[in-house]
Each structure stands twice: as C-alpha cells, then as structure tokens.
Amino acid sequence: MTKRLPLILTLIAALTTGTLAGTLLNHPHPSFWAQLRYGASASDGEYLFDSLADIVPGAPDSGAFKAAAALVQGTVVDIEPGIAYASDDGESGSRVVAYDSQDAAMRYASLVVRVDKILAGRLGQGYTDGRIRIQVEQPATTTLAELQQSIGTAGTGLMFVHNLAERQQLLGRPVTDPAQLTYAQSVHTPIGEGLFIEESAGSPVLAPLMDGPRAAQLLGYTYVSDDGESEPTPTPACDDLDPCYTPTSKPSATATSVPAGDTEPAGTTPPSLTALRSTLLAAACTEQTATDPSSC
Amino acid sequence: MRMSALALVFAIVAALSAGLTAATPALANTFGFFVYHPTWCCPKTDNRDVYWNGSTLTSNMITAADYGMANLDYQTDLRIGGYDSTAGTHTDLVMFDAHYVDYWGKDWDGSSTGVNITGATKCVRVLAQIGGEYTCDRAELRFDLADMTTTTIRKKTACHEIGHAIGLGHTNLTSCMKQGTSTTQTYSSHDRSHINGQW
C-alpha cells in the first residue's frame, strides 16, 4: 500500500492538472463585453417602448420614457472607476462610497469612448477632447483591471446617450448633492439600454445592456436562448392561467416585435453595425435630428 | 517498477484526456454563473439551506416574501434554513421595499432605460470558486412599492426575485421567471430541474 501511495498521489495531481489544462485550453479569457454584460444585477419589469425609433433623438415620449439626446458612433478606448453605492434601507437615495470600498454594493464604471461621429442630436456637458464617458454597471464577477486588460476586444459601436446631469434635470429630478453633481456632469447615461457594439469588423452587433429576447425584439431577429433552443420573440400570451396585466399606471409597451426598418423575415443573427447605422440614420432623418441632413 | 511507470504514464494521459473532455462546456443554461461560459444571470446561492431576512418590509410585502420562500422550499430541493430577525453574517437573502426613484443609481421608473423596474436583485457578496464558477453568499432583493399594487403582482415578483437570488435567469416559459407580463407565481419544471440538479 505504501508503495502505491506515490502513484495515487501522482494520479490525483495528474487529474487536477489535466482538468485545469482542459479548462484553460477550452475557454480563452472572456472578451470585454462578455465580462461586462453578465453577472450584473437582475430585475423584473415592464418595457416602456417597443421600437428603436423611440430612442432616436427627437422621437416623441413613449409614456414615461424619453428619447436620447444624441446618437453617436464611437470606439471604446478605456474604462475607469465611476461611482459606487453602499447598501442601506434608504428610500430614494443611497450612500455614495469610495469606488474600491468594501462597503460598495453597486459599482458603475465609466466607459471612455472616443466619439468618431455624432450621428443625431447633440452632446452636452461631459463631451471633452472628443470623448465621452458612459456609465455602465460593473458586475461583481469581474474587476476593473480585468476589464482594462481586455479593452482591445471592446470594439466600436452605436450609442444612444444623454449627459446624466442634464437627463436628471429633464426628468424633473435634478442632482443636488455636490459630489454626485460633479460625477453626473461628467458622464453620459445609456438611453433605452441602447449600446450596439461591433466587436470586430463585420461581426453581428451585440446589445450588451439588454437581455437576449429584448435585443432580438428590437433588432428584429429570432432569439436563440442560452439553452440553444430557438424561441419566438415575445408576443402577448394571455389566458386564464397567465393573464396579461399592467402593474402600474405607467404605460407599457406592447411586446410585439417592431424592428426599426427591416421587413425581411427574421433570422437568428443580429444585423451588422453598418445595416443598423442605416436604419437608425433613417429614423433620425424622420425626426429631423440627423447631424448631416444631406445624408437623408 | 516498469509496471508502475507504465501505469503512471497511462494515468497522466487518461487524466489529461479527461480534463480536456470535462472542460468542454456543458449545455448552457440560465442557472448559476460560470466565468468561461457566462449567462445573463446570476451566481447561484452558495448553500442548500437558505436563510433570509425581511425585517423592514411592509406587511403586504412580507406576506408575499413569506409565500415566495415557502414556494421555493416546497417546489425545489432548496430549503428555508430559517428566518433571521436581523440580517447576520450567514443571512443569504435580505429583502427591502420602498418607493424607489434612483436608488443605487438605477432608473426605477424606466424613463431613461425604457424598463420600469418592479423588483431588482443584486448579489452583494460573491464568492469565486475553483474552475471559474461564482456563487452568491448574500443577495439583496428590492421591490418597488409603486408597482406592488396587488397580491398577485407581489407574489409573482417575490418568486421572480428569489429566483434570481438563488441563480435563475429569465425564461419565456410559463414561470414566475418570465419577465414583465406574467402573473405565474411558481417555478417551471425547467427551473426546478436547474435547481434540483445542483442540490
């Protein structure tokens, strides 16, 4: 038995090494967006609009939802610490803590985006040196250092944004706390979860802030679930067992898929950034907010 | 000696092969969080006995939370470990409710995101496991009282957020994990198989 002990130990070590080697060989390090889009907070709720045309600058309000101030094409060049909140039982506000504080329960990083072109609307405060900072939740399952290391995979995209301080003012909820005001003036918030990213040239767009079915609904393709099974885009399914309801007086969008523009039969692949850009520019032309009217 | 060496070489080759095979992603799912094959949601709870606290919930909401926890215990192999009258170090789920406006920097009424949030869950203490999995040691569940207008909505939302807290993602099946326009207050067999496959 004693003679076999080294063999048994070697076998255990080999199994461990083999498993780790297998893991590393089969799973390259996740991309920037794979790290950022998953593992964040999760919620339940009602969608308030049902078409990308509703986000375009100049679009009329859709219930409580208000359109973006600007649509930009930009390239993600860096990610920085933004703001962090602690947990408490507060009602309207939550305590701001240092970004690296152990008390931080919710962290928002700032994507540093080089603005390649303002396609529609206008950028206000926080647009300096040709760059804006966009507020995104940092999942607890990744670190800023890991995100920075993978910034080369962040790619380029179309982004619906609004300066946070100006947005809050527009909504009648101005930021008054001096520390939070400074932050709010420096960042843009994504509007309508509308970040559409092309990780590499010609690849289908990602919508990292939306969950899969929602992205499919807005971009006009058939969602394939994480289980690998094709699911129809959400449609109202109301019966005695599962009746439709509206939880508040806030208007809700219909769940019908209304892709902006494309009337081709839905496939399972999102559009390219080029195709999406054309669609969104057409919508901006309709709203007369395109920055280059000659392209309309 | 020669036999031992041969056995050793065989063991190493077999182990390496096993490792390569074992690390191939299993069927993707919407339960738990694995860094090399991430899904939208969420780190799964880190233990089978789930302790919870809702000491600041309004009376209607604590009734719904009680229902949600009892349903979890009844429908799945997870168990209510106990109710903690104050949240302690071993409390897994802590629930709050309020009329939220911009709590945690979130856009609760959806005027900017386009999603009117009725309830939200965040794992505030994640644990990294060997092999790239993350589990959740403490999740916070928050319910927006502006939307918690009926018993049905409260129970559905409690079931939904508890589902996120223990690791379930959204679904299009008939389940409380269906987002938005659903009043189903229980988990689907698919949800249960995810949970019971782990516990």
Side-chain angles (χ1 to χ4, degrees):
Chain A
M1 182 64 190
T2 312
K3 284 182 182 175
R4 287 184 183 170
L5 189 59
L7 179 60
I8 292 168
L9 289 174
T10 306
L11 183 59
I12 291 169
L15 270 169
T16 307
T17 307
T19 303
L20 288 175
T23 299
L24 292 173
L25 286 171
N26 282 288
H27 303 291
H29 197 70
S31 71
F32 179 83
W33 291 106
Q35 291 178 74
L36 200 60
R37 72 185 296 197
Y38 300 114
S41 56
S43 60
D44 192 13
E46 286 270 319
Y47 294 119
L48 303 181
F49 68 89
D50 56 17
S51 168
L52 290 179
D54 293 329
I55 325 178
V56 170
D61 293 353
S62 176
F65 177 73
K66 295 183 186 303
L71 166 62
V72 302
Q73 182 155 1
T75 304
V76 180
V77 295
D78 200 359
I79 187 165
E80 299 173 343
I83 196 167
Y85 298 97
S87 288
D88 56 47
D89 195 28
E91 181 143 305
S92 58
S94 39
R95 188 166 48 95
V96 175
V97 295
Y99 198 79
D100 56 358
S101 166
Q102 287 193 335
D103 291 337
M106 179 71 81
R107 291 184 174 90
Y108 293 95
S110 297
L111 289 178
V112 182
V113 173
R114 185 188 71 227
V115 177
D116 299 322
K117 187 170 178 55
I118 302 171
L119 298 173
R122 55 173 286 278
L123 291 170
Q125 295 177 88
Y127 177 38
T128 54
D129 300 328
R131 296 179 174 200
I132 57 173
R133 284 165 174 74
I134 299 180
Q135 181 188 52
V136 288
E137 184 183 335
Q138 182 194 325
T141 49
T142 191
T143 64
L144 265 186
E146 289 170 328
L147 288 164
Q148 284 163 341
Q149 283 168 12
S150 61
I151 201 75
T153 64
T156 187
L158 298 167
M159 305 162 189
F160 288 99
V161 295
H162 202 151
N163 173 267
L164 181 57
E166 293 175 2
R167 184 77 179 182
Q168 293 301 102
Q169 186 80 37
L170 174 72
L171 297 174
R173 306 194 292 253
V175 181
T176 53
D177 174 73
Q180 293 201 55
L181 180 59
T182 302
Y183 168 76
Q185 288 170 334
S186 72
V187 298
H188 284 68
T189 189
I191 302 302
E193 302 180 317
L195 296 190
F196 301 101
I197 303 296
E198 181 184 63
E199 288 183 299
S200 58
S203 62
V205 295
L206 293 175
L209 305 186
M210 298 177 187
D211 68 11
R214 175 62 165 171
Q217 178 198 351
L218 291 178
L219 293 170
Y221 64 95
T222 301
Y223 174 63
V224 178
S225 77
D226 288 337
D227 289 325
E229 294 169 2
S230 176
E231 292 185 13
T233 48
T235 52
C238 315
D239 54 35
D240 290 343
L241 291 174
D242 192 11
C244 292
Y245 76 106
T246 303
T248 68
S249 57
K250 302 170 208 169
S252 62
T254 63
T256 310
S257 175
V258 185
D262 190 6
T263 54
E264 293 292 313
T268 56
T269 309
S272 68
L273 197 70
T274 304
L276 181 61
R277 186 177 188 271
S278 298
T279 302
L280 297 178
L281 269 176
C285 288
T286 302
E287 301 298 343
Q288 300 184 323
T289 54
T291 52
D292 179 11
S294 65
S295 65
C296 293
Chain B
M1 181 63 186
R2 195 172 292 166
M3 272 304 285
S4 294
L6 190 60
L8 181 61
V9 170
F10 178 78
I12 291 172
V13 170
L16 281 167
S17 304
L20 288 169
T21 307
T24 301
L27 269 184
N29 59 42
T30 55
F31 183 68
F33 182 90
F34 184 62
V35 72
Y36 294 112
H37 188 71
T39 51
W40 191 267
C41 175
C42 311
K44 72 184 187 211
T45 188
D46 65 337
N47 45 274
R48 184 177 186 181
D49 295 313
V50 182
Y51 288 81
W52 71 288
N53 164 269
S55 55
T56 63
L57 290 174
T58 51
S59 59
N60 281 339
M61 205 58 233
I62 199 155
T63 302
D66 260 330
Y67 160 81
M69 292 303 298
N71 177 63
L72 179 72
D73 186 291
Y74 173 74
Q75 274 206 292
T76 76
D77 291 344
L78 285 170
R79 300 179 301 216
I80 298 176
Y83 178 81
D84 296 327
S85 55
T86 56
T89 53
H90 76 303
T91 310
D92 301 295
L93 276 55
V94 188
M95 304 188 197
F96 302 96
D97 62 2
H99 287 86
Y100 293 118
V101 178
D102 56 4
Y103 189 85
W104 267 354
K106 283 185 170 292
D107 174 38
W108 287 81
D109 75 351
S111 49
S112 291
T113 60
V115 187
N116 169 41
I117 300 172
T118 54
T121 297
K122 169 84 175 175
C123 180
V124 296
R125 208 156 58 211
V126 294
L127 304 173
Q129 308 293 326
I130 292 173
E133 186 175 32
Y134 281 87
T135 57
C136 187
D137 184 45
R138 164 75 65 87
E140 289 189 8
L141 295 71
R142 294 181 182 273
F143 305 97
D144 187 355
L145 290 175
D147 300 310
M148 299 295 106
T149 51
T150 68
T151 301
T152 300
I153 295 169
R154 286 189 289 272
K155 286 184 175 179
K156 184 266 179 174
T157 311
C159 178
H160 187 103
E161 298 309 324
I162 290 168
H164 283 322
I166 54 101
L168 288 171
H170 289 151
T171 181
N172 264 5
L173 302 174
T174 301
S175 161
C176 68
M177 296 313 295
K178 188 174 179 179
Q179 192 170 20
T181 54
S182 163
T183 52
T184 305
Q185 299 160 29
T186 55
Y187 301 111
S188 69
S189 58
H190 190 249
D191 298 332
R192 293 198 301 273
S193 66
H194 275 314
I195 298 168
N196 297 345
Q198 294 288 324
W199 302 105

